[in-house]
Amino acid sequence: MSDPLLEVEDLTIRYETDGGDLTAVSGASFSIDDGEFFGLAGESGSGKSTTAKAIIGGLDDNGRVDGGTIRYRGEEIQDFTEKQLNKQLRWKEISWIPQSSMNSLDPLQRVSEQAAEIGRVHTDLSNEAIREKLKEMFAVVGLQESRIDDYPHQFSGGMQQRAIIALALFLEPSLVIADEPTTALDVIMQDQIFKYLDRMKDDAETSLLLITHDISVIFESCDSVAIMHASQIAERGSTEAVHDNPRHPYAFMFKEAFPDIREPDRDLEVIDGYPPELIGEVTACSFADRCPWAVEECRESAPPLDPVGDDDATHAASCFRADEAYELYEKHGATDPAAPEQGDD
Ligand SMILES: Nc1ncnc2c1ncn2[C@@H]1O[C@H](COP(=O)(O)OP(=O)(O)OP(=O)(O)O)[C@@H](O)[C@H]1O
């Protein structure tokens, strides 16, 4: 079997802060194949954007990869210099639709000039061919082709977002990283962009790393998923396996917190509390303080992301009670029948 397109292994990322080193990602592992749509879900602050930024070499200055590897087409890239990233990866291989596109366009350059510069560095295409490709993408994202020569300030916020998406896709990259790409867009436009990505997937085996807090979008559009909670991957696997047979309490409670068209009458789950901010080494399950099924062991060490042993070899959960938690949840709701009743000694 060939290498996965992207392989993230045991990745740990920390930010230097006044309060000490904050662990934003702790031991994360997942891989994305050619033509695979992979969703990374989780509440705000779980480490999704940090993971994506590390892949494209865009960590904030106070952030660093503190352990693990990121391989792209088999080559380790976590220590690539800016020059290597620009020359070998960005735009043509991996393109990035950032969470906030508002400041991503150069205000001093027409969009077509920005495209020309990207095209010059990464392809042999003529200027005319680059303009044609950009016009095609403008049509896909619902912008008039004639506006490729506009400056960013001539667009509204939503239009700037669409211009960024056009720039991210016009060179047909192998991997598109999209961080909450559709939050500023209406549903029709979201649908149009996903349809276009699906076409790229069919025609050119384009892969997608889709980052969102909305797991229902991932269940609709992705082949695989990882659900993160406060720096750790709680569960990972094919969308089908994680949807139908979830094992980690955060994964199934998070999933049940969103409406599902297949179960219109279900009450939505509420997860009490907030994810912790983790200073220093992570030495416990980051969900333990919010988990109805947590036992002593969960606070004594961080559970490894182990295979759950079903038909999907990629399906793994980092929970000491992965074998029983979902069954208990289905029988008793979000309470542990083995836990002492309140008021007991
Ligand atoms: N530059 C930074 N300096 C210090 N801490 C940071 C920095 N950037 C992110 N963090 C912290 O790292 C953790 C992970 O943040 P990250 O933005 O990766 O999460 P996220 O899951 O993408 O959240 P959101 O959905 O809100 O974007 C959070 O605790 C956040 O406060």
Side-chain angles (χ1 to χ4, degrees):
M1 248 172 63
S2 59
D3 281 330
L5 181 67
L6 179 80
E7 209 174 0
V8 170
E9 206 175 315
D10 206 15
L11 184 68
T12 294
I13 301 172
R14 296 203 164 88
Y15 290 107
E16 219 176 294
T17 73
D18 290 344
D21 277 358
L22 181 143
T23 303
V25 177
S26 171
S29 298
F30 62 90
S31 67
I32 304 179
D33 287 329
D34 283 307
E36 181 175 359
F37 279 15
F38 187 95
L40 194 53
E43 276 161 289
S44 182
S46 52
K48 308 180 298 294
S49 298
T50 299
T51 304
K53 285 180 189 168
I55 295 167
I56 194 82
L59 280 178
D60 296 343
D61 290 345
N62 61 333
R64 64 178 190 278
V65 172
D66 226 9
T69 52
I70 304 171
R71 280 190 289 275
Y72 184 76
R73 296 196 192 281
E75 184 177 8
E76 282 195 23
I77 61 167
Q78 72 277 357
D79 298 323
F80 263 26
T81 59
E82 274 295 297
K83 200 170 158 197
Q84 282 174 299
L85 288 161
N86 280 330
K87 190 151 180 257
Q88 292 185 39
L89 290 182
R90 289 184 184 146
W91 300 104
K92 184 72 189 102
E93 284 296 330
I94 307 179
S95 77
W96 160 248
I97 302 171
Q99 195 170 75
S100 161
S101 299
M102 306 307 167
N103 304 320
S104 303
L105 292 165
D106 180 345
L108 301 177
Q109 275 191 326
R110 298 171 197 277
V111 177
S112 56
E113 288 168 345
Q114 303 188 37
E117 202 168 298
I118 296 164
R120 230 185 350 260
V121 175
H122 299 282
T123 70
D124 300 327
L125 293 173
S126 67
N127 213 11
E128 208 34 57
I130 290 168
R131 287 178 65 82
E132 281 315 305
K133 274 186 171 287
L134 186 63
K135 278 185 189 168
E136 276 171 36
M137 273 318 301
F138 260 47
V140 169
V141 299
L143 293 172
Q144 284 173 3
E145 295 176 12
S146 59
R147 300 200 60 177
I148 63 166
D149 292 319
D150 280 5
Y151 286 96
H153 73 264
Q154 293 174 275
F155 293 114
S156 71
M159 288 161 98
Q160 286 189 24
Q161 171 101 7
R162 285 185 267 157
I164 278 284
I165 294 175
L167 281 178
L169 301 183
F170 88 109
L171 290 187
E172 295 161 20
S174 301
L175 173 64
V176 177
I177 300 180
D179 194 348
E180 302 276 7
T182 51
T183 37
L185 305 176
D186 62 57
V187 222
I188 297 168
M189 187 47 57
Q190 285 181 28
D191 198 47
Q192 201 163 318
I193 288 166
F194 272 114
K195 282 203 176 105
Y196 182 77
L197 287 169
D198 274 332
R199 275 213 307 279
M200 282 176 72
K201 178 186 187 174
D202 290 343
D203 296 348
E205 287 212 300
T206 303
S207 306
L208 174 69
L209 172 55
L210 175 66
I211 294 171
T212 175
H213 65 277
D214 185 346
I215 192 134
S216 43
V217 173
I218 290 178
F219 285 145
E220 270 168 44
S221 53
C222 291
D223 305 296
S224 312
V225 58
I227 300 177
M228 287 187 86
H229 180 269
S231 85
Q232 295 164 336
I233 291 193
E235 184 157 346
R236 174 201 78 191
S238 72
T239 305
E240 200 183 354
V242 174
H243 182 276
D244 296 347
N245 188 19
R247 300 301 185 93
H248 191 291
Y250 181 65
F252 56 74
M253 290 177 79
F254 185 67
K255 164 175 114 66
E256 302 282 321
F258 287 87
D260 185 336
I261 42 171
R262 284 158 280 199
E263 303 163 80
D265 298 327
R266 172 168 61 74
D267 288 338
L268 298 187
E269 188 57 78
V270 177
I271 307 177
D272 291 333
Y274 297 97
E277 286 220 328
L278 303 158
I279 299 295
E281 297 277 323
V282 180
T283 54
C285 170
S286 69
F287 190 56
D289 286 344
R290 308 174 75 188
C291 179
W293 302 275
V295 289
E296 227 174 295
E297 199 180 6
C298 311
R299 297 191 170 83
E300 285 169 354
S301 61
L305 185 61
D306 280 340
V308 303
D310 59 13
D311 293 344
D312 170 14
T314 66
H315 192 186
S318 52
C319 174
F320 293 120
R321 301 186 73 185
D323 287 347
E324 55 176 352
Y326 190 54
E327 213 172 300
L328 291 173
Y329 175 67
E330 288 202 303
K331 270 199 197 137
H332 307 282
T335 52
D336 185 353
E341 299 251 337
Q342 282 215 331
D344 281 6
D345 284 335

